[in-house]
Amino acid sequence: MKINVEITKMALVHNPIKIENLNEKKLVQKMVLRRRLSRSSKILINLAHECEFETGVMIYGSAYGEITDTVSILQAIKSGEAVSPSTFQNSVYNTAASYHSILHGNKYEILTLSCGDETSYNVAQQGALALLKEDSVFVCCVEALNFQGVDNFNKCGVELEYGVAFVLKKSDKTATDKVGDAIQNGVPASLTWMKNLYDLCEIRKNVVVEIEL
Amino acid sequence: MNKVYVNATSIKSVCGNTEETFEAIFHKRSGLAIFERIVPNKRICIGKIKNKTSFDALLYESVNEILVKSNLRDFSNTLLLVGSSVGGMASTEEALFKDVKYENIDIQKHPINAIASALNQKYNFFANRSFSTACTSSANALKVAKELIECGAYKNILVVGADEICATTIFGFNSLGILSDEICTPFKHERKGMNVAEGIGSLLLQNKRYPDSIEFTGAGTSSDAYHIANPDPNANGAISAITKALNDASVNARQVNYINAHGTGTQANDAAETIAIQSIFSNETFVSSSKPNIGHTLGAAGAIEAIICVEALKRQLLPPQINCERQDKTFNIVQDAASAKIEYALSNSFAFGGNNVSLVFGVCHEN
């Protein structure tokens, strides 16, 4: 079953090491909440703001989730230190999406996927499924990989912070565009499909793509 | 819209395989055990599956069991949906704790989709997706499976909820001060916390009905938008998820005869879930938590506890709760396994981030 989808908003942020200005002081004015945010959460909140999304169905994806907090927990256990409760609370894969919901009081369905290299395509599939019942859906994928020891794994020069987001809407128009499968230097494999969609939308206006559920 | 049927199930838990787990649940036995040396200077009660060769071997056993019980020859036309909160974390810990060298970690075996990848390599599914919303992971996977079959996108979907116990979850929940040193006592005044455990629950969902099918009639989700780890004390999110599930199933609260509660045994969860259940259901609806038997299997809990609801409907037998003799007089906790007319059963799952999922299952009627 296929759904035709058009993109009404989109946003992209990335940096080889650390994204400089995520505007979190303006976007998250409560300091007590801002101080708890993981890097993924800050990236997601920034992308959602750029897409003018506050409440509604959100489908979020990340292949490695909150890996910085995961590494902190593992290091604490290995060295016999106490695990920080707030680090543990922040270590689940749905942390970023949850903080966004707390920030904006979003009580709609929020789903988090983690599907390796297929993550961003699977998130889009899930977004398309949601469009059977919703007028629009916010889909977003983030990788925040700037953790101690990342050099042992990052042999291909993937940028350590990367996020891409769209607001999708169901379309009655014929799908005229296909998202390429080109692998791009520096883009985490999990985000490749969405980055290719983003690039397509940069070149053409009113992109409509067909997504198989 | 297609109807959705549960046509085969499998459990691997601290109580054993599928039948052994049902026996333990209906006869009020627990597979949880006390460990003195995992957390320094602290006794904890958790659920580790005994005599397992590997977690992957258990996964394969579970999926094999589904294949044997089903009408499928293979999984080439089946979508695999996996729900897990930690994925391959245990594999990472094993490598890292051995010699503290990051390069010994197999990064492909670390993430959530490591489970789906291992299963796909062995069984060659049509496609696969993995969900990770902490303790609602496999409940969310079930909801998605239901929607995909209803709209006609798939005919066969295997949902696997799986979480292997690991140091991260044990020490993490210990840091929150909610790990109990004895078998948990959900909804009891003197509750001491939860028992983290490992487990696997697999359900084959199909659009075709067979003589022993149970219908998957409703699913509802919501977000608390309240706190990253604590539930909304007014239970607005839980109430919303339950209400949506009942509406999706087109049933009213009086038609639900049994609720398998999330029932972790923590003060915060039990208090919120009590409010949610009391605000929607009357005292005629029976409630129990299976966590004193099998522990809190985190991302697997939604799938395993859905299977317990399915089995209750098949047997027309209410699953009792261990340690419920002096429960809060809040609702009707099942004291002992008892035959009853069970038309619909509801399973609750709540998670970090305020993620709430409720699922409704029902006996199949003629039409």
Side-chain angles (χ1 to χ4, degrees):
Chain A
M1 185 175 181
K2 292 168 182 172
I3 306 283
N4 287 357
V5 165
E6 60 185 84
I7 287 83
T8 60
K9 308 264 184 201
M10 63 179 194
L12 174 78
V13 287
H14 61 100
N15 190 283
I17 308 296
K18 186 178 180 184
I19 299 163
E20 288 294 331
N21 184 14
L22 289 168
N23 212 11
E24 60 260 36
K25 279 193 179 170
K26 185 184 166 199
L27 299 181
V28 188
Q29 294 189 354
K30 282 185 184 169
M31 192 171 71
V32 67
L33 180 60
R34 189 169 67 241
R35 287 178 63 184
R36 290 176 182 271
L37 299 177
S38 63
R39 287 298 295 171
S40 303
S41 308
K42 290 175 183 174
I43 295 169
L44 185 152
I45 287 166
N46 180 282
L47 290 166
H49 175 73
E50 293 299 314
C51 289
E52 298 174 26
F53 172 81
E54 290 190 354
T55 61
V57 173
M58 178 194 293
I59 316 291
Y60 173 66
S62 178
Y64 292 100
E66 301 292 339
I67 195 158
T68 306
D69 285 320
T70 302
V71 170
S72 297
I73 292 167
L74 292 172
Q75 286 174 338
I77 295 169
K78 183 64 187 168
S79 58
E81 293 166 14
V83 171
S84 153
S86 56
T87 303
F88 178 63
Q89 289 172 359
N90 271 8
S91 69
V92 293
Y93 277 64
N94 55 324
T95 292
S98 300
Y99 274 123
H100 179 273
S101 76
I102 293 166
L103 177 64
H104 292 292
N106 184 16
K107 299 188 175 184
Y108 283 80
E109 176 177 9
I110 296 173
L111 204 52
T112 302
L113 288 87
S114 181
C115 313
D117 294 354
E118 300 298 316
T119 298
S120 68
Y121 180 62
N122 288 163
V123 165
Q125 284 181 300
Q126 198 57 46
L129 176 65
L131 288 175
L132 293 179
K133 292 178 182 170
E134 303 290 332
D135 292 335
S136 70
V137 57
F138 177 70
V139 296
C140 177
C141 285
V142 173
E143 299 298 349
L145 306 169
N146 192 4
F147 61 93
Q148 193 184 337
V150 67
D151 293 342
N152 291 289
F153 308 107
N154 188 16
K155 307 295 184 194
C156 305
V158 165
E159 295 195 34
L160 298 185
E161 291 195 339
Y162 222 105
V164 59
F166 302 92
V167 174
L168 305 180
K169 194 178 162 192
K170 193 175 176 185
S171 177
D172 297 328
K173 296 172 192 161
T174 307
T176 51
D177 303 286
K178 277 200 169 181
V179 180
D181 54 6
I183 295 166
Q184 301 192 34
N185 285 342
V187 181
S190 57
L191 272 61
T192 297
W193 190 88
M194 278 195 179
K195 176 60 167 58
N196 286 335
L197 175 61
Y198 185 91
D199 290 348
L200 182 65
C201 296
E202 286 263 273
I203 299 165
R204 291 189 207 164
K205 283 185 177 173
N206 306 319
V207 167
V208 177
V209 294
E210 186 181 75
I211 296 177
E212 180 133 27
L213 296 182
Chain B
M1 196 164 71
N2 295 311
K3 289 190 173 188
V4 183
Y5 299 100
V6 182
N7 286 337
T9 59
S10 165
I11 296 177
K12 301 287 176 190
S13 79
V14 288
C15 294
N17 61 26
T18 311
E19 282 308 314
E20 290 164 340
T21 301
F22 291 146
E23 282 304 296
I25 285 168
F26 287 107
H27 291 95
K28 297 174 76 171
R29 289 195 296 270
S30 176
L32 301 170
I34 290 164
F35 292 81
E36 308 266 6
R37 293 182 183 170
I38 294 177
V39 178
N41 307 315
K42 189 169 181 183
R43 197 174 101 125
I44 56 169
C45 181
I46 59 173
K48 290 178 88 169
I49 295 174
K50 290 173 198 144
N51 306 322
K52 67 173 191 266
T53 50
S54 72
F55 197 72
D56 277 358
L58 285 178
L59 277 169
Y60 301 147
E61 276 180 32
S62 182
V63 172
N64 266 332
E65 186 180 339
I66 294 288
L67 202 52
V68 169
K69 287 177 173 175
S70 75
N71 62 340
L72 300 174
R73 287 167 59 188
D74 56 45
F75 290 117
S76 57
N77 288 317
T78 300
L79 175 69
L80 171 67
L81 300 183
V82 171
S84 178
S85 70
V86 293
M89 179 66 79
S91 149
T92 299
E93 288 179 355
E94 191 184 348
L96 187 66
F97 293 167
K98 204 180 287 175
D99 54 14
V100 208
K101 288 182 180 167
Y102 283 108
E103 54 263 39
N104 291 340
I105 294 170
D106 183 346
I107 199 67
Q108 299 301 324
K109 289 186 176 174
H110 170 81
I112 298 300
N113 72 312
I115 293 166
S117 297
L119 290 174
N120 195 49
Q121 214 161 13
K122 192 166 176 69
Y123 295 101
N124 194 25
F125 286 87
F126 176 79
N128 68 83
R129 286 173 217 169
S130 299
F131 300 84
S132 191
T133 52
C135 303
T136 51
S137 299
S138 57
N140 269 313
L142 280 163
K143 179 178 183 283
V144 170
K146 179 175 181 287
E147 290 169 348
L148 286 168
I149 290 175
E150 279 176 346
C151 74
Y154 293 88
K155 292 177 179 173
N156 311 309
I157 300 182
L158 178 65
V159 174
V160 176
D163 258 328
E164 183 173 12
I165 200 160
C166 60
T168 300
T169 47
I170 294 170
F171 283 84
F173 282 109
N174 183 58
S175 76
L176 300 178
I178 55 172
L179 269 192
S180 177
D181 62 356
E182 56 188 42
I183 294 170
C184 65
T185 56
F187 308 113
K188 216 174 169 182
H189 270 306
E190 303 84 2
R191 58 180 79 84
K192 295 174 81 174
M194 61 175 281
N195 312 116
V196 65
E198 58 191 344
I200 300 166
S202 304
L203 300 91
L204 179 66
L205 306 182
Q206 295 178 295
N207 64 345
K208 281 193 178 168
R209 177 185 159 186
Y210 295 93
D212 62 346
S213 295
I214 292 295
E215 191 177 344
F216 183 6
T217 55
T221 60
S222 72
S223 299
D224 278 355
Y226 174 76
H227 187 270
I228 197 67
N230 293 327
D232 174 0
N234 296 318
N236 292 319
I239 290 168
S240 170
I242 294 169
T243 304
K244 286 179 186 174
L246 295 176
N247 291 341
D248 187 42
S250 299
V251 298
N252 61 51
R254 286 191 307 280
Q255 292 173 275
V256 175
N257 311 100
Y258 170 67
I259 297 170
N260 189 285
H262 188 57
T264 57
T266 64
Q267 180 68 41
N269 173 82
D270 287 2
E273 191 168 18
T274 298
I275 291 170
I277 291 173
Q278 283 185 315
S279 72
I280 296 172
F281 299 95
S282 74
N283 205 36
E284 288 176 9
T285 304
F286 289 95
V287 180
S288 68
S289 166
S290 305
K291 289 183 171 72
N293 308 92
I294 58 172
H296 188 353
T297 55
L298 308 179
I304 293 175
E305 291 162 19
I307 295 170
I308 293 167
C309 285
V310 167
E311 195 63 18
L313 288 159
K314 281 186 178 178
R315 296 187 187 204
Q316 292 290 288
L317 191 61
L318 294 164
Q321 182 176 313
I322 299 174
N323 287 334
C324 66
E325 292 79 11
R326 294 166 56 206
Q327 81 277 14
D328 295 349
K329 289 181 178 174
T330 47
F331 39 72
N332 204 351
I333 292 188
V334 185
Q335 307 280 334
D336 292 293
S339 293
K341 185 173 171 59
I342 312 173
E343 284 281 310
Y344 293 96
L346 179 136
S347 176
N348 283 336
S349 297
F350 308 128
F352 273 14
N355 196 284
N356 310 300
V357 184
S358 293
L359 308 172
V360 180
F361 301 88
V363 292
C364 294
H365 294 285
E366 279 310 306
N367 298 314

